[in-house]
Every structure is written in structure tokens, then in C-alpha cells.
């Protein structure tokens, strides 16, 4: 649009204000009045403005038609929409205004009924939901946005400052601002309609899966690149995401997050928070190369970093407790390098150490996700060409009551605790997944192999001498006893796996032959 669009823009003489959220409205309205703008409003908004000691005209008094049906109908009137939609450069539109006594509204300020917040309440009734479907508000927004060549539409409190700044400078708004606000307005009403559609779509859903999937994701950042430098990438977040997720995290230090950082941080946090005791995870290329739990967080960190020290260089760490001074001092030791750390809090002394002592002090990303809540069942989405795959996220603990000891030898209490740790961890490793653990610490992992026996060999090689007396967790059943034989030869003493192979009897017989323990969980944990 050329500069003539700004030159022909009308001054803002009148503003129609109808908002459900009054945040920042007092100062905004005062700024409008100070700029000579006449305010028009309805119901609760008008009373609020009056309460601020500001002059405001009642819409019903202007239209000559009262609010009816408990406020369901108040702004749906030609004298309102005509004043919003009129084209200021059209003589015929101006004649219609004069003929019907219609005033122009150059500024429209609207926030809609809180439908999303209402239906999110666990005790919401259908009647409450229906009454929070705004009708007049979206009509005002769409009309003003359509006529953005002349009308300014404001749908968010964060937009107040920009409008006031231009109004004070020129008595009107620029076309560039009006165009931007119009785009934001249409996204605002689109999101609102999607929320309503999702509410009614529950009746057409199959379990948790709606007939039409409407996702609202807001762009958080444009990333430098994706998995590789030649790929463009951006980060989008669900505005409803909890504060204990990456979407709600506060970055305390470091460079901007990369695509791969975000993937690894999400995995590191998921692993650490899956344990009840203090725990630390060490992630590299989206797989754990170290993980441990211990009553002392610093000891859990030491054991986690010792799991695979070579791979831990340049890794991402996840904590399920506040990162304290002792952990920070350990991480600041010479020879260590950490890309990013996510934790439910950082002690001030720990932040001071991590951002001043190591060579990588200015680069390490520190993300504080706040207190961790109990994990809830949720949907996860993965893209395939032309669509999405949707499933329940594999975060809930397995019912241990369903586990079966299938060998002659029974596990000791210590072995059972170790197997529990291994089983909790193996679900976070890419399939085919094998973990060897000892003293509730990951000693070796075999990940992403096409053959399960190859994963076993890799896990044993990573474990070295620590394989002796270790527990082995497998994300799926052993189709042949060869993996049992290889692990037994390395000194593994206990196994946990789903069971379910037609050759289960062979694997059980191999364990019994070597005097080993094996538990069947009845549930697998593939992670592709």
C-alpha cells in the first residue's frame, strides 16, 4: 500500500470499546480521552470506564435500542456496524451516514468472552459453555478488520501501546499498523472459532481423537536452522501448555536454542521427571547416554555423567530437582562441556558458578521450568508426508502388579529396584532399545538398531566391566535366546522385558540354565 493510504486515513474521533478483560483498559482509555477521542461502550465495560472517572457514551443511548435478552443483543445494530464499515473515501457511504444519523467509529477495541477458559474448568456445564460463545464481539472484530483501510481494530492489551503512540504523534494510526492489527484480529477470531468447534467436536470423537483436528500453535521463535544448516526451522508452542514444559520455561543464560537443543531438552526433561527420587539424565542425539537416581542429587549427577563420559561431552542434561551448588561445582570441573541444562529451578549460587567458571559459561543454555507436576496422559503428534500421526504419549507408569517373575530364580529386593529403574529408563531409548543398569545408573545403552541382538552387544560394550552384576531392560520381547546368552556371558544377572514372543519359553530356559532372573511386564515401550 502506498503512502496515500496513510495520507487518506481519517483521524480517530470515536472508539467503540467492548472487552471482557479489563487489564490495562484504564490507562488505555485515559490515553484515548487525552487525545480527544470520544468513547462509546456497553454494559460492564462502560461501567468500568465510568469508574475510572472518564466520559463514555452508552451504546444503547446512541442506537436508541436497549440491550436485550440478558445482553445477548447489544452491538448488533446498523448504527454500530455502519459506523465501523463505512468507507471514508466514498461519497455514497457518507450520504448513508448522514441520512440515518450514523456516527463513524475509527477505533474498535474488543476482547471476547473467555470461552477457552470456561470450558477448561472441570466443573463447566454445557449451559455455561454456550453462554460464553460471543456473537457480537466477533462481528465487531471482523467488520473492523475488513475495513482496516479506515478502521483500527484492537484485540489484545499488548496492542494498546502501539495505538496510543501513533495516536499521540499524528492523531490517527498508520496503514501498516492497521493492516498488522487486522491480521491479528482474524487469527484471534479463527482461534476462538476453533475452540468452539473443538468443544462440539467431542460428540464426533473416537475416544480422545476428534473427527477434525484443530491445533493452535503460536510461533515462539524462528530458529537459525533445523536439524542441519540447510533446513529452515521455527519453534511453535501450545498456548495452553503447562509451565513445567519447555514452552513455559524461562531461559536464564546462554545462546538461542537450536532445533536439536529443543529436541534433546524435551527428552532430557521427560527422562528425569519420570523418576520419583532425585534424578539426572544425560542426553545426546535424543538418546540417554547417562542417567541415574540417588538420594543425593550431586551423586545422581556424578553417576549419570560416568555412564558414558565420551558421549556426555557436549550433551544436554535434565534434572528433576532444583540444581544446587554442589551440582554446579561438579559441572564446572575442567574437561566437561555441556550444551544445555533443564531443571525445575536453579539455586542462585549454581547460576553464578555455571555462568562464570566453565569455559562454556556464556554459551550454556539454562532453562528453568519451575515445579514439576505429576505427568498426565496427553496426545503427541508426529508428522508424516501429508498428515499427522496422533497417539497417547507414553508417560504413565506401568502397573507393577501385572509383572510376572517367569524364572525359577526370584529377584532380591535390590534386583527388583534395579529392574524397576531399568524398565523406567528403557522406554526413553530409541528402538530396538536395550539398557544395562547398575546401582540405579545407566551403564550402557544400545539404541536404534535394526537387530535387538546388536543393541545388546552395543550396551554390553558400553558397560565394559560394569556389565557384571547388571540388570538388563529391553523395550520389547526377545525373539530368540541369543541375546540372553550374550548378556549372561557378560555377567548380566537380571532381565526385564515385555514377553509375548512365541519363543518366550526358550528365553526363560536360557535364564534358568544360567541361574538368572527374568520379569515379564506384559507391556512394550517402542520409541521410533
Amino acid at each position: 500500500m502506498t503512502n496515500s493510504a496513510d495520507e487518506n486515513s481519517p483521524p480517530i474521533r470515536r472508539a467503540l470499546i467492548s472487552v471482557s478483560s479489563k487489564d490495562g483498559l484504564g490507562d488505555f482509555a485515559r490515553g484515548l480521552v487525552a487525545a480527544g477521542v470520544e468513547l462509546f461502550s456497553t454494559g460492564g465495560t462502560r461501567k468500568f470506564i465510568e469508574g475510572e472517572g472518564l466520559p463514555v457514551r452508552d451504546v444503547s443511548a446512541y442506537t436508541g435500542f436497549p440491550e436485550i435478552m440478558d445482553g445477548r443483543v447489544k452491538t448488533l445494530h446498523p448504527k454500530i456496524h455502519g459506523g465501523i464499515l463505512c468507507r471514508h473515501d466514498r461519497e455514497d457511504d457518507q450520504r448513508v451516514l448522514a441520512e440515518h444519523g450514523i456516527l463513524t467509529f475509527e477505533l474498535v477495541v474488543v476482547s471476547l468472552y473467555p470461552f477457552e477458559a470456561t470450558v477448561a474448568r472441570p466443573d463447566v456445564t454445557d449451559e455455561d459453555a454456550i453462554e460464553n460463545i460471543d456473537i457480537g464481539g466477533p462481528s465487531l472484530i471482523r467488520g473492523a478488520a475488513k475495513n482496516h483501510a479506515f478502521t483500527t481494530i484492537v484485540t489484545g492489551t499488548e496492542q494498546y501501546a502501539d495505538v496510543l503512540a501513533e495516536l499521540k504523534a499524528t492523531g490517527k494510526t498508520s496503514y501498516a499498523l492497521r493492516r498488522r492489527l487486522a491480521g491479528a484480529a482474524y487469527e484471534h477470531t479463527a482461534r476462538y472459532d476453533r475452540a468452539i468447534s473443538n468443544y462440539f467436536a467431542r460428540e464426533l470423537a473416537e475416544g480422545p481423537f476428534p473427527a477434525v483436528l484443530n491445533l493452535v500453535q503460536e510461533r515462539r521463535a524462528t530458529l537459525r536452522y533445523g536439524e542441519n544448516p540447510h533446513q529452515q526451522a521455527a519453534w511453535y508452542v501450545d498456548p495452553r501448555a503447562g509451565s513445567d514444559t519447555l514452552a513455559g520455561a524461562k531461559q536464564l543464560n546462554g545462546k538461542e536454542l537450536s532445533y536439536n537443543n529443543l529436541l534433546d531438552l524435551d527428552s532430557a526433561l521427560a527422562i528425569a521427571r519420570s523418576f520419583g527420587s532425585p534424578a539426572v539424565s544425560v542426553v545426546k542425539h535424543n538418546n540417554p547416554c547417562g542417567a541415574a537416581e540417588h538420594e543425593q542429587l550431586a551423586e545422581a549427577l556424578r553417576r549419570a555423567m560416568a555412564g558414558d563420559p565420551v558421549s556426555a561431552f557436549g550433551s544436554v542434561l535434565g534434572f528433576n530437582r532444583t540444581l544446587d551448588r554442589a551440582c554446579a561445582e561438579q559441572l564446572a570441573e575442567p574437561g566437561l562441556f555441556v550444551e544445555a541444562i533443564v531443571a525445575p529451578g536453579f539455586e542462585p549460587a549454581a547460576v553464578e558458578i555455571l555462568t562464570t567458571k566453565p569455559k562454556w559459561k556464556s554459551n550454556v543454555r539454562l532453562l528453568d521450568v519451575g515445579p514439576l507436576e505429576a505427568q498426565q496422559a496427553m496426545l503427541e503428534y508426529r508428522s508424516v508426508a501429508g498428515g499427522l500421526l496422533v497417539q497417547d504419549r507414553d508417560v504413565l507408569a506401568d502397573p507393577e502388579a501385572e509383572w510376572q517373575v517367569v524364572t525359577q530364580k526370584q529377584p532380591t529386593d535390590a534386583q527388583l529396584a534395579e529392574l524397576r529403574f531399568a524398565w523406567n529408563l528403557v522406554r526413553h531409548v530409541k528402538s530396538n532399545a536395550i539398557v544395562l543398569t547398575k546401582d540405579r545408573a545407566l551403564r550402557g545403552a544400545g539404541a536404534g538398531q535394526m537387530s535387538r541382538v546388536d543393541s545388546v552387544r552395543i550396551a554390553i560394550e558400553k558397560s565394559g566391566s560394569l556389565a557384571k552384576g547388571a540388570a538388563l531392560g529391553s523395550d520389547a520381547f526377545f525373539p530368540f535366546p541369543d541375546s540372553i546368552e550374550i548378556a549372561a556371558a557378560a555377567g548380566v544377572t537380571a532381565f526385564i522385558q515385555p514377553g509375548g514372543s512365541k519363543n518366550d519359553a526358550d528365553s526363560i530356559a536360557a535364564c534358568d540354565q544360567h541361574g538368572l532372573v527374568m520379569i515379564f511386564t506384559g507391556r512394550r515401550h517402542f520409541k521410533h
Side-chain angles (χ1 to χ4, degrees):
M1 181 69 74
T2 64
N3 289 336
S4 62
D6 287 331
E7 294 171 0
N8 296 329
S9 297
I12 296 180
R13 292 170 290 187
R14 298 177 196 87
L16 175 64
I17 306 176
S18 178
V19 294
S20 61
S21 171
K22 309 302 187 293
D23 292 345
L25 179 59
D27 289 340
F28 184 53
R30 272 187 288 276
L32 294 177
V33 171
V37 178
E38 186 179 15
L39 308 185
F40 287 69
S41 193
T42 63
T45 304
R46 176 181 55 78
K47 292 177 182 177
F48 178 88
I49 295 173
E50 288 175 341
E52 295 290 307
L54 299 171
V56 58
R57 290 185 60 179
D58 180 59
V59 164
S60 294
Y62 160 60
T63 63
F65 202 93
E67 294 184 14
I68 60 174
M69 301 177 184
D70 297 324
R72 279 189 164 198
V73 181
K74 47 193 174 187
T75 57
L76 297 172
H77 195 283
K79 293 185 76 172
I80 297 297
H81 288 275
I84 293 171
L85 284 161
C86 69
R87 292 157 291 189
H88 290 248
D89 61 351
R90 291 274 295 262
E91 292 184 2
D92 52 344
D93 280 11
Q94 300 305 309
R95 286 196 299 270
V96 170
L97 296 179
E99 179 182 353
H100 296 285
I102 298 174
L103 300 174
T104 58
F105 294 100
E106 293 79 23
L107 174 63
V108 177
V109 185
V110 177
S111 66
L112 304 174
Y113 294 165
F115 181 83
E116 286 185 274
T118 299
V119 298
R121 296 199 319 260
D123 61 342
V124 66
T125 65
D126 193 55
E127 181 180 2
D128 287 339
I130 299 300
E131 287 307 312
N132 274 278
I133 297 176
D134 205 322
I135 302 300
S139 299
L140 295 173
I141 292 173
R142 292 179 66 84
K146 174 178 180 175
N147 203 37
H148 65 271
F150 307 102
T151 307
T152 304
I153 176 62
V154 172
T155 53
T157 58
E158 72 281 358
Q159 301 165 352
Y160 289 171
D162 289 343
V163 172
L164 282 181
E166 292 198 1
L167 181 60
K168 290 177 181 178
T170 65
K172 56 186 180 180
T173 57
S174 65
Y175 178 79
L177 177 59
R178 295 196 302 276
R179 180 82 174 186
R180 175 163 61 85
L181 294 179
Y186 282 123
E187 176 52 39
H188 188 67
T189 56
R191 173 176 170 174
Y192 196 76
D193 286 339
R194 284 194 294 267
I196 297 170
S197 173
N198 287 342
Y199 177 77
F200 285 96
R202 296 181 305 179
E203 298 179 12
L204 302 175
E206 294 182 2
F209 308 112
V212 176
L213 182 63
N214 292 313
L215 297 178
V216 177
Q217 300 283 318
E218 298 175 350
R219 191 179 65 224
R220 171 65 57 81
T222 300
L223 306 175
R224 285 188 301 163
Y225 53 83
E227 285 181 291
N228 300 288
H230 64 276
Q231 294 174 271
Q232 298 183 67
W235 180 22
Y236 288 82
V237 300
D238 186 337
R240 301 165 299 175
S243 59
D244 61 341
T245 65
L246 291 185
K250 180 180 179 182
Q251 186 168 348
L252 306 180
N253 185 68
K255 300 186 297 185
E256 63 180 291
L257 294 164
S258 72
Y259 186 96
N260 292 333
N261 285 155
L262 289 164
L263 288 175
D264 286 345
L265 283 163
D266 187 57
S267 293
L269 181 61
I271 295 169
R273 73 185 303 171
S274 68
F275 293 100
S277 300
V280 180
S281 64
V282 185
V283 169
K284 195 75 171 285
H285 297 299
N286 219 231
N287 273 305
C289 59
E293 64 172 350
H294 192 274
E295 287 65 30
Q296 298 298 320
L297 188 66
E299 179 61 18
L301 172 61
R302 188 192 68 78
R303 296 185 183 194
M305 295 296 285
D308 187 347
V310 174
S311 297
F313 187 85
S315 59
V316 167
L317 307 185
F319 290 72
N320 68 353
R321 297 289 193 277
T322 298
L323 197 155
D324 57 22
R325 183 188 188 99
C327 289
E329 289 177 341
Q330 187 180 148
L331 291 170
E333 292 175 358
L336 290 179
F337 168 51
V338 176
E339 284 274 6
I341 303 172
V342 59
F346 291 77
E347 287 185 357
V351 175
E352 175 71 15
I353 291 169
L354 292 172
T355 56
T356 59
K357 286 191 174 183
K359 289 184 178 180
W360 35 265
K361 58 192 176 186
S362 61
N363 293 330
V364 64
R365 293 93 164 167
L366 304 180
L367 274 78
D368 184 348
V369 293
L372 297 177
E373 304 292 337
Q375 295 199 86
Q376 303 294 323
M378 63 185 77
L379 297 180
E380 67 176 2
Y381 310 92
R382 297 185 68 179
S383 63
V384 293
L388 293 175
L389 296 175
V390 184
Q391 67 173 353
D392 291 327
R393 195 169 190 180
D394 190 12
V395 298
L396 301 182
D398 290 348
E400 194 169 324
E402 297 178 7
W403 292 5
Q404 292 181 307
V405 179
V406 294
T407 50
Q408 296 173 7
K409 188 166 185 177
Q410 299 294 303
T412 64
D413 289 344
Q415 283 179 318
L416 186 58
E418 196 66 46
L419 290 167
R420 191 179 291 118
F421 175 85
W423 186 244
N424 192 50
L425 182 60
V426 75
R427 71 168 69 193
H428 299 286
V429 181
K430 295 293 181 67
S431 301
N432 285 312
I434 297 292
V435 297
L436 262 64
T437 73
K438 193 173 185 179
D439 298 325
R440 291 187 298 165
L442 177 63
R443 304 304 184 179
Q449 301 304 305
M450 287 67 75
S451 165
R452 186 162 300 279
V453 73
D454 286 342
S455 290
V456 172
R457 289 193 177 102
I458 292 171
I460 291 171
E461 180 182 352
K462 289 284 187 181
S463 300
S465 62
L466 292 174
K468 188 174 182 178
L472 183 151
S474 174
D475 64 348
F477 59 66
F478 292 115
F480 304 103
D482 48 4
S483 293
I484 305 293
E485 297 290 351
I486 294 170
V492 174
T493 58
F495 298 79
I496 187 166
Q497 57 132 318
S501 169
K502 64 180 181 180
N503 294 323
D504 276 347
D506 294 341
S507 294
I508 295 170
C511 284
D512 286 339
Q513 180 182 350
H514 295 285
L516 308 177
V517 171
M518 180 180 286
I519 290 178
F520 283 179
T521 65
R523 183 175 296 190
R524 80 177 189 200
H525 288 290
F526 276 159
K527 185 180 181 184
H528 280 69

